[in-house]
Amino acid sequence: MSEKDIIKIYNEGIDAVVGLVKSLSGQISELSTQVNRLNVRVTELEAQLNKNSSNSSKPPSSDGLKKKPKNNRKKSGKPTGGQPGHEGKTLEKVKNPDEVVDIKPEHCECGYDLD
């Protein structure tokens, strides 16, 4: 409504102004009701979005992909594996073992006889 329309209604008298205010009051009431309904719907949709397999009966496959946490460790610049000068702990073969055990399977994993 323009300023010109408001002035025209004002010049028509008090009854026209009262009618305008009542009309606007009704429109405000309707809009308020609609806003309340939309707020309820938004709350329902947000609750639906916040559901996952740990707080509802949804299957874990519906949870979607989760982001991996970022690794905050800084690279040292050293090569991976054992560092030069570090004493190794490799278990070496012995020249004279205490006991030798021959393991001879009778059947292959596929079921074939190995005789």
Side-chain angles (χ1 to χ4, degrees):
M1 178 176 287
S2 70
E3 186 176 331
K4 197 175 190 180
D5 294 335
I6 295 171
I7 293 171
K8 180 182 174 193
I9 292 171
Y10 177 78
N11 289 332
E12 289 176 5
I14 192 77
D15 290 338
V17 172
V18 169
L20 173 65
V21 170
K22 284 183 178 179
S23 171
L24 292 175
S25 178
Q27 290 177 7
I28 289 172
S29 178
E30 289 175 19
L31 290 173
S32 178
T33 303
Q34 187 175 5
V35 166
N36 288 336
R37 276 186 287 157
L38 291 173
N39 281 334
V40 168
R41 181 67 177 143
V42 166
T43 303
E44 290 172 355
L45 291 173
E46 285 175 343
Q48 201 174 14
L49 276 176
N50 291 330
K51 286 185 179 178
N52 59 37
S53 63
S54 65
N55 62 11
S56 70
S57 61
K58 290 177 62 176
S61 60
S62 68
D63 285 348
L65 299 176
K66 294 183 179 175
K67 287 186 177 179
K68 284 176 62 176
K70 184 180 176 187
N71 187 354
N72 292 328
R73 290 178 53 184
K74 304 287 185 229
K75 293 192 181 249
S76 66
K78 296 180 181 178
T80 59
Q83 302 299 312
H86 183 266
E87 182 181 325
K89 301 288 184 184
T90 304
L91 185 61
E92 301 289 339
K93 290 183 181 180
V94 294
K95 292 182 182 178
N96 299 319
D98 294 336
E99 181 180 357
V100 176
V101 178
D102 288 330
I103 300 175
K104 295 183 181 179
E106 296 176 9
H107 299 284
C108 177
E109 290 177 4
C110 68
Y112 184 76
D113 189 10
L114 296 176
D115 284 336

Short mmCIF file of all heavy atoms in Angstrom, two decimals, residues 47-99:
data_model
loop_
_atom_site.label_atom_id
_atom_site.label_comp_id
_atom_site.label_asym_id
_atom_site.label_seq_id
_atom_site.Cartn_x
_atom_site.Cartn_y
_atom_site.Cartn_z
N ALA A 47 14.85 -32.23 13.20
CA ALA A 47 14.93 -33.44 14.02
C ALA A 47 15.16 -34.66 13.14
O ALA A 47 15.92 -35.56 13.49
CB ALA A 47 13.65 -33.61 14.84
N GLN A 48 14.52 -34.67 11.97
CA GLN A 48 14.69 -35.78 11.03
C GLN A 48 16.12 -35.82 10.50
O GLN A 48 16.71 -36.89 10.37
CB GLN A 48 13.70 -35.59 9.89
CG GLN A 48 13.38 -36.83 9.11
CD GLN A 48 12.27 -36.56 8.09
OE1 GLN A 48 11.93 -35.42 7.80
NE2 GLN A 48 11.72 -37.62 7.55
N LEU A 49 16.69 -34.67 10.22
CA LEU A 49 18.06 -34.61 9.71
C LEU A 49 19.08 -35.05 10.76
O LEU A 49 20.12 -35.60 10.44
CB LEU A 49 18.41 -33.18 9.28
CG LEU A 49 17.99 -32.77 7.89
CD1 LEU A 49 18.33 -31.30 7.66
CD2 LEU A 49 18.67 -33.61 6.84
N ASN A 50 18.77 -34.81 12.03
CA ASN A 50 19.71 -35.13 13.10
C ASN A 50 19.67 -36.60 13.51
O ASN A 50 20.45 -37.02 14.34
CB ASN A 50 19.44 -34.25 14.33
CG ASN A 50 19.81 -32.81 14.06
OD1 ASN A 50 20.71 -32.53 13.28
ND2 ASN A 50 19.12 -31.89 14.69
N LYS A 51 18.78 -37.38 12.92
CA LYS A 51 18.70 -38.80 13.25
C LYS A 51 19.79 -39.57 12.51
O LYS A 51 20.10 -39.30 11.36
CB LYS A 51 17.34 -39.38 12.87
CG LYS A 51 16.24 -38.96 13.80
CD LYS A 51 14.95 -39.67 13.44
CE LYS A 51 13.84 -39.26 14.39
NZ LYS A 51 12.58 -39.90 14.03
N ASN A 52 20.39 -40.52 13.22
CA ASN A 52 21.34 -41.44 12.59
C ASN A 52 21.16 -42.81 13.22
O ASN A 52 20.26 -43.01 14.05
CB ASN A 52 22.78 -40.92 12.71
CG ASN A 52 23.20 -40.73 14.14
OD1 ASN A 52 22.84 -41.50 15.02
ND2 ASN A 52 23.97 -39.69 14.39
N SER A 53 22.00 -43.76 12.89
CA SER A 53 21.81 -45.12 13.36
C SER A 53 22.03 -45.25 14.86
O SER A 53 21.56 -46.20 15.47
CB SER A 53 22.77 -46.06 12.62
OG SER A 53 24.10 -45.70 12.90
N SER A 54 22.72 -44.29 15.50
CA SER A 54 22.97 -44.42 16.93
C SER A 54 21.83 -43.85 17.78
O SER A 54 21.74 -44.17 18.96
CB SER A 54 24.28 -43.73 17.29
OG SER A 54 24.19 -42.35 17.06
N ASN A 55 20.97 -43.00 17.22
CA ASN A 55 19.89 -42.44 18.02
C ASN A 55 18.50 -42.71 17.43
O ASN A 55 17.54 -42.03 17.76
CB ASN A 55 20.10 -40.93 18.23
CG ASN A 55 20.09 -40.14 16.95
OD1 ASN A 55 19.74 -40.64 15.90
ND2 ASN A 55 20.50 -38.89 17.04
N SER A 56 18.41 -43.70 16.53
CA SER A 56 17.12 -44.06 15.95
C SER A 56 17.20 -45.48 15.44
O SER A 56 18.21 -46.17 15.62
CB SER A 56 16.75 -43.11 14.81
OG SER A 56 17.59 -43.34 13.70
N SER A 57 16.15 -45.92 14.78
CA SER A 57 16.15 -47.29 14.24
C SER A 57 16.64 -47.34 12.80
O SER A 57 16.45 -48.33 12.12
CB SER A 57 14.73 -47.86 14.33
OG SER A 57 13.85 -47.06 13.56
N LYS A 58 17.28 -46.26 12.34
CA LYS A 58 17.80 -46.23 10.97
C LYS A 58 19.00 -47.17 10.84
O LYS A 58 19.79 -47.30 11.78
CB LYS A 58 18.25 -44.81 10.60
CG LYS A 58 17.12 -43.82 10.45
CD LYS A 58 17.62 -42.44 10.16
CE LYS A 58 18.37 -42.41 8.86
NZ LYS A 58 18.81 -41.09 8.45
N PRO A 59 19.17 -47.81 9.69
CA PRO A 59 20.35 -48.67 9.51
C PRO A 59 21.61 -47.82 9.33
O PRO A 59 21.55 -46.68 8.86
CB PRO A 59 20.03 -49.44 8.21
CG PRO A 59 19.07 -48.56 7.49
CD PRO A 59 18.28 -47.84 8.54
N PRO A 60 22.77 -48.36 9.74
CA PRO A 60 24.03 -47.61 9.61
C PRO A 60 24.35 -47.19 8.18
O PRO A 60 25.00 -46.18 7.96
CB PRO A 60 25.09 -48.57 10.14
CG PRO A 60 24.36 -49.52 11.00
CD PRO A 60 22.98 -49.63 10.42
N SER A 61 23.85 -47.94 7.20
CA SER A 61 24.14 -47.59 5.81
C SER A 61 23.50 -46.28 5.40
O SER A 61 23.91 -45.66 4.43
CB SER A 61 23.67 -48.71 4.88
OG SER A 61 22.28 -48.90 5.02
N SER A 62 22.50 -45.82 6.16
CA SER A 62 21.84 -44.57 5.81
C SER A 62 22.51 -43.36 6.45
O SER A 62 22.08 -42.23 6.25
CB SER A 62 20.38 -44.61 6.23
OG SER A 62 20.28 -44.62 7.64
N ASP A 63 23.56 -43.58 7.24
CA ASP A 63 24.25 -42.47 7.91
C ASP A 63 25.05 -41.61 6.95
O ASP A 63 25.32 -40.46 7.24
CB ASP A 63 25.21 -42.99 8.99
CG ASP A 63 24.45 -43.47 10.22
OD1 ASP A 63 23.25 -43.20 10.32
OD2 ASP A 63 25.09 -44.12 11.06
N GLY A 64 25.43 -42.14 5.82
CA GLY A 64 26.25 -41.37 4.88
C GLY A 64 27.72 -41.48 5.25
O GLY A 64 28.11 -42.17 6.18
N LEU A 65 28.55 -40.79 4.51
CA LEU A 65 29.99 -40.84 4.74
C LEU A 65 30.38 -39.86 5.83
O LEU A 65 29.88 -38.75 5.89
CB LEU A 65 30.74 -40.51 3.44
CG LEU A 65 30.47 -41.46 2.29
CD1 LEU A 65 31.18 -40.97 1.03
CD2 LEU A 65 30.93 -42.86 2.62
N LYS A 66 31.29 -40.30 6.68
CA LYS A 66 31.79 -39.42 7.73
C LYS A 66 33.17 -38.94 7.32
O LYS A 66 33.95 -39.67 6.72
CB LYS A 66 31.88 -40.17 9.05
CG LYS A 66 30.51 -40.57 9.57
CD LYS A 66 30.62 -41.25 10.90
CE LYS A 66 29.23 -41.62 11.38
NZ LYS A 66 29.26 -42.37 12.61
N LYS A 67 33.46 -37.70 7.65
CA LYS A 67 34.77 -37.15 7.31
C LYS A 67 35.84 -37.75 8.21
O LYS A 67 35.62 -37.92 9.41
CB LYS A 67 34.77 -35.64 7.48
CG LYS A 67 34.00 -34.90 6.43
CD LYS A 67 34.17 -33.41 6.61
CE LYS A 67 33.47 -32.65 5.52
NZ LYS A 67 33.61 -31.22 5.69
N LYS A 68 36.99 -38.06 7.63
CA LYS A 68 38.11 -38.52 8.43
C LYS A 68 38.71 -37.33 9.14
O LYS A 68 38.82 -36.25 8.57
CB LYS A 68 39.18 -39.16 7.52
CG LYS A 68 38.81 -40.55 7.02
CD LYS A 68 39.83 -41.10 6.07
CE LYS A 68 41.18 -41.27 6.70
NZ LYS A 68 42.15 -41.90 5.82
N PRO A 69 39.13 -37.52 10.39
CA PRO A 69 39.77 -36.40 11.08
C PRO A 69 41.10 -36.04 10.43
O PRO A 69 41.82 -36.91 9.94
CB PRO A 69 39.98 -36.92 12.51
CG PRO A 69 39.85 -38.40 12.42
CD PRO A 69 39.02 -38.71 11.21
N LYS A 70 41.40 -34.77 10.41
CA LYS A 70 42.63 -34.30 9.78
C LYS A 70 43.82 -34.64 10.67
O LYS A 70 43.76 -34.47 11.88
CB LYS A 70 42.56 -32.79 9.56
CG LYS A 70 43.74 -32.24 8.82
CD LYS A 70 43.62 -30.74 8.62
CE LYS A 70 44.88 -30.22 7.97
NZ LYS A 70 44.91 -28.79 7.90
N ASN A 71 44.88 -35.13 10.07
CA ASN A 71 46.09 -35.46 10.82
C ASN A 71 46.88 -34.16 11.03
O ASN A 71 47.31 -33.53 10.08
CB ASN A 71 46.93 -36.48 10.05
CG ASN A 71 48.11 -36.97 10.84
OD1 ASN A 71 48.39 -36.48 11.93
ND2 ASN A 71 48.81 -37.96 10.30
N ASN A 72 47.04 -33.78 12.30
CA ASN A 72 47.73 -32.54 12.62
C ASN A 72 49.22 -32.72 12.87
O ASN A 72 49.90 -31.77 13.24
CB ASN A 72 47.09 -31.88 13.85
CG ASN A 72 45.70 -31.39 13.54
OD1 ASN A 72 45.43 -30.99 12.41
ND2 ASN A 72 44.82 -31.44 14.51
N ARG A 73 49.74 -33.95 12.71
CA ARG A 73 51.16 -34.19 12.95
C ARG A 73 52.00 -33.57 11.84
O ARG A 73 51.64 -33.57 10.67
CB ARG A 73 51.43 -35.69 13.01
CG ARG A 73 50.83 -36.33 14.26
CD ARG A 73 51.05 -37.81 14.30
NE ARG A 73 52.47 -38.12 14.13
CZ ARG A 73 52.93 -39.35 14.03
NH1 ARG A 73 52.12 -40.38 14.09
NH2 ARG A 73 54.22 -39.57 13.88
N LYS A 74 53.13 -33.04 12.22
CA LYS A 74 54.07 -32.44 11.26
C LYS A 74 55.06 -33.51 10.81
O LYS A 74 55.50 -34.35 11.59
CB LYS A 74 54.84 -31.29 11.91
CG LYS A 74 53.94 -30.21 12.50
CD LYS A 74 53.29 -29.40 11.42
CE LYS A 74 52.50 -28.27 12.02
NZ LYS A 74 51.19 -28.14 11.52
N LYS A 75 55.43 -33.47 9.53
CA LYS A 75 56.41 -34.42 9.01
C LYS A 75 57.78 -34.07 9.54
O LYS A 75 58.18 -32.92 9.61
CB LYS A 75 56.41 -34.38 7.48
CG LYS A 75 55.12 -34.91 6.89
CD LYS A 75 55.27 -35.12 5.40
CE LYS A 75 53.97 -35.62 4.84
NZ LYS A 75 54.03 -36.97 4.40
N SER A 76 58.54 -35.13 9.94
CA SER A 76 59.87 -34.92 10.52
C SER A 76 60.94 -34.81 9.44
O SER A 76 62.02 -34.32 9.70
CB SER A 76 60.21 -36.06 11.47
OG SER A 76 60.36 -37.27 10.74
N GLY A 77 60.66 -35.31 8.27
CA GLY A 77 61.66 -35.29 7.20
C GLY A 77 62.51 -36.55 7.18
O GLY A 77 63.30 -36.76 6.27
N LYS A 78 62.39 -37.40 8.19
CA LYS A 78 63.15 -38.64 8.24
C LYS A 78 62.50 -39.69 7.34
O LYS A 78 61.29 -39.68 7.15
CB LYS A 78 63.19 -39.18 9.68
CG LYS A 78 63.91 -38.30 10.66
CD LYS A 78 63.89 -38.94 12.03
CE LYS A 78 64.59 -38.08 13.05
NZ LYS A 78 64.52 -38.68 14.39
N PRO A 79 63.31 -40.60 6.80
CA PRO A 79 62.72 -41.66 5.99
C PRO A 79 61.94 -42.64 6.88
O PRO A 79 62.21 -42.74 8.07
CB PRO A 79 63.93 -42.35 5.34
CG PRO A 79 65.07 -42.02 6.23
CD PRO A 79 64.77 -40.70 6.84
N THR A 80 60.98 -43.34 6.27
CA THR A 80 60.22 -44.32 7.03
C THR A 80 61.06 -45.54 7.30
O THR A 80 62.05 -45.81 6.61
CB THR A 80 58.95 -44.72 6.25
OG1 THR A 80 59.33 -45.25 5.00
CG2 THR A 80 58.02 -43.54 6.07
N GLY A 81 60.66 -46.32 8.29
CA GLY A 81 61.38 -47.54 8.64
C GLY A 81 62.47 -47.27 9.65
O GLY A 81 62.53 -46.23 10.29
N GLY A 82 63.37 -48.26 9.81
CA GLY A 82 64.47 -48.15 10.78
C GLY A 82 65.43 -47.03 10.40
O GLY A 82 65.77 -46.84 9.24
N GLN A 83 65.86 -46.29 11.39
CA GLN A 83 66.76 -45.16 11.15
C GLN A 83 68.21 -45.63 11.21
O GLN A 83 68.54 -46.59 11.90
CB GLN A 83 66.51 -44.07 12.20
CG GLN A 83 65.07 -43.55 12.20
CD GLN A 83 64.68 -42.94 10.88
OE1 GLN A 83 65.40 -42.12 10.32
NE2 GLN A 83 63.53 -43.35 10.35
N PRO A 84 69.10 -44.98 10.48
CA PRO A 84 70.52 -45.36 10.51
C PRO A 84 71.06 -45.28 11.94
O PRO A 84 70.78 -44.35 12.68
CB PRO A 84 71.20 -44.30 9.62
CG PRO A 84 70.10 -43.74 8.77
CD PRO A 84 68.85 -43.87 9.56
N GLY A 85 71.82 -46.32 12.32
CA GLY A 85 72.41 -46.35 13.65
C GLY A 85 71.55 -47.05 14.67
O GLY A 85 71.98 -47.29 15.79
N HIS A 86 70.32 -47.40 14.30
CA HIS A 86 69.45 -48.08 15.26
C HIS A 86 69.76 -49.56 15.25
O HIS A 86 69.86 -50.19 14.19
CB HIS A 86 67.98 -47.84 14.87
CG HIS A 86 67.01 -48.45 15.83
ND1 HIS A 86 66.48 -49.69 15.64
CD2 HIS A 86 66.49 -47.99 17.00
CE1 HIS A 86 65.67 -49.98 16.64
NE2 HIS A 86 65.66 -48.94 17.48
N GLU A 87 69.91 -50.15 16.44
CA GLU A 87 70.21 -51.58 16.56
C GLU A 87 69.00 -52.39 16.13
O GLU A 87 67.90 -52.21 16.66
CB GLU A 87 70.56 -51.90 18.02
CG GLU A 87 70.95 -53.34 18.24
CD GLU A 87 71.27 -53.60 19.70
OE1 GLU A 87 71.82 -52.71 20.36
OE2 GLU A 87 70.94 -54.70 20.16
N GLY A 88 69.15 -53.29 15.16
CA GLY A 88 68.04 -54.08 14.65
C GLY A 88 67.66 -55.22 15.58
O GLY A 88 68.43 -55.64 16.44
N LYS A 89 66.46 -55.72 15.43
CA LYS A 89 65.96 -56.82 16.26
C LYS A 89 65.49 -57.98 15.40
O LYS A 89 64.60 -58.71 15.78
CB LYS A 89 64.78 -56.33 17.12
CG LYS A 89 65.10 -55.20 18.04
CD LYS A 89 65.96 -55.67 19.18
CE LYS A 89 66.18 -54.51 20.15
NZ LYS A 89 67.06 -54.84 21.22
N THR A 90 66.11 -58.20 14.23
CA THR A 90 65.68 -59.26 13.33
C THR A 90 66.06 -60.62 13.90
O THR A 90 67.17 -60.82 14.38
CB THR A 90 66.35 -59.09 11.95
OG1 THR A 90 66.04 -57.78 11.47
CG2 THR A 90 65.86 -60.12 10.96
N LEU A 91 65.14 -61.57 13.84
CA LEU A 91 65.39 -62.93 14.31
C LEU A 91 66.07 -63.70 13.18
O LEU A 91 65.48 -63.97 12.15
CB LEU A 91 64.06 -63.59 14.71
CG LEU A 91 64.14 -64.97 15.32
CD1 LEU A 91 64.96 -64.93 16.62
CD2 LEU A 91 62.76 -65.51 15.60
N GLU A 92 67.33 -64.01 13.37
CA GLU A 92 68.13 -64.70 12.34
C GLU A 92 67.97 -66.21 12.47
O GLU A 92 67.66 -66.73 13.54
CB GLU A 92 69.61 -64.32 12.49
CG GLU A 92 69.90 -62.84 12.37
CD GLU A 92 69.74 -62.31 10.97
OE1 GLU A 92 69.79 -63.11 10.00
OE2 GLU A 92 69.55 -61.09 10.83
N LYS A 93 68.25 -66.94 11.35
CA LYS A 93 68.26 -68.39 11.39
C LYS A 93 69.47 -68.86 12.20
O LYS A 93 70.53 -68.25 12.17
CB LYS A 93 68.37 -68.97 9.98
CG LYS A 93 67.14 -68.77 9.14
CD LYS A 93 67.34 -69.46 7.79
CE LYS A 93 66.15 -69.27 6.91
NZ LYS A 93 66.33 -69.92 5.61
N VAL A 94 69.28 -69.98 12.90
CA VAL A 94 70.41 -70.55 13.65
C VAL A 94 71.06 -71.65 12.82
O VAL A 94 70.40 -72.31 12.01
CB VAL A 94 69.95 -71.10 15.02
CG1 VAL A 94 69.47 -69.98 15.91
CG2 VAL A 94 68.89 -72.15 14.88
N LYS A 95 72.37 -71.89 13.04
CA LYS A 95 73.07 -72.92 12.26
C LYS A 95 72.68 -74.32 12.72
O LYS A 95 72.57 -75.23 11.92
CB LYS A 95 74.58 -72.73 12.40
CG LYS A 95 75.06 -71.48 11.73
CD LYS A 95 76.57 -71.34 11.84
CE LYS A 95 77.02 -70.04 11.19
NZ LYS A 95 78.44 -69.84 11.31
N ASN A 96 72.48 -74.51 14.00
CA ASN A 96 72.11 -75.82 14.55
C ASN A 96 70.80 -75.74 15.32
O ASN A 96 70.79 -75.51 16.54
CB ASN A 96 73.22 -76.33 15.49
CG ASN A 96 74.54 -76.50 14.78
OD1 ASN A 96 74.57 -76.98 13.65
ND2 ASN A 96 75.62 -76.10 15.43
N PRO A 97 69.67 -75.94 14.64
CA PRO A 97 68.40 -75.86 15.34
C PRO A 97 68.24 -77.03 16.31
O PRO A 97 68.80 -78.11 16.09
CB PRO A 97 67.37 -75.92 14.22
CG PRO A 97 68.05 -76.51 13.07
CD PRO A 97 69.50 -76.19 13.21
N ASP A 98 67.46 -76.82 17.38
CA ASP A 98 67.21 -77.89 18.35
C ASP A 98 66.33 -78.98 17.75
O ASP A 98 66.50 -80.16 18.06
CB ASP A 98 66.51 -77.31 19.59
CG ASP A 98 67.40 -76.35 20.35
OD1 ASP A 98 68.63 -76.46 20.21
OD2 ASP A 98 66.85 -75.48 21.05
N GLU A 99 65.39 -78.60 16.92
CA GLU A 99 64.45 -79.57 16.37
C GLU A 99 64.00 -79.11 15.00
O GLU A 99 63.78 -77.92 14.77
CB GLU A 99 63.24 -79.66 17.32
CG GLU A 99 62.19 -80.65 16.91
CD GLU A 99 61.02 -80.66 17.90
OE1 GLU A 99 61.05 -79.96 18.91
OE2 GLU A 99 60.05 -81.38 17.60
#
